[in-house]
Amino acid sequence: MVSRRPSSGGSDPVAALVEIDLYGELMIAASSADEERLSPDRIDEVLRVVPQRRPESAQGPEPRR
């Protein structure tokens, strides 16, 4: 996960709480998973990541994650 800290060097309590909540969701998913590790797709599902759409004019295969 990319840290989104303000450029001023201060802390953002709301962003910190959101990040803590996301970590908690990942921990819950990992603890209830049958497999040893969560797949990248499962992590995206837990974090509600929406895949970016590529422009139709883009050529070549989609990049691997």
Side-chain angles (χ1 to χ4, degrees), residues 7-56:
S7 60
S8 64
S11 64
D12 182 354
V14 174
L17 290 174
V18 169
E19 192 168 337
I20 290 167
D21 186 52
L22 292 174
Y23 281 122
E25 293 293 330
L26 282 174
M27 292 174 78
I28 291 167
S31 67
S32 64
D34 293 332
E35 61 275 359
E36 186 174 321
R37 294 176 181 228
L38 294 178
S39 70
D41 288 336
R42 179 65 179 130
I43 293 170
D44 287 349
E45 180 183 333
V46 170
L47 297 178
R48 297 176 210 87
V49 173
V50 178
Q52 292 182 345
R53 295 182 54 100
R54 296 179 69 203
E56 291 182 24

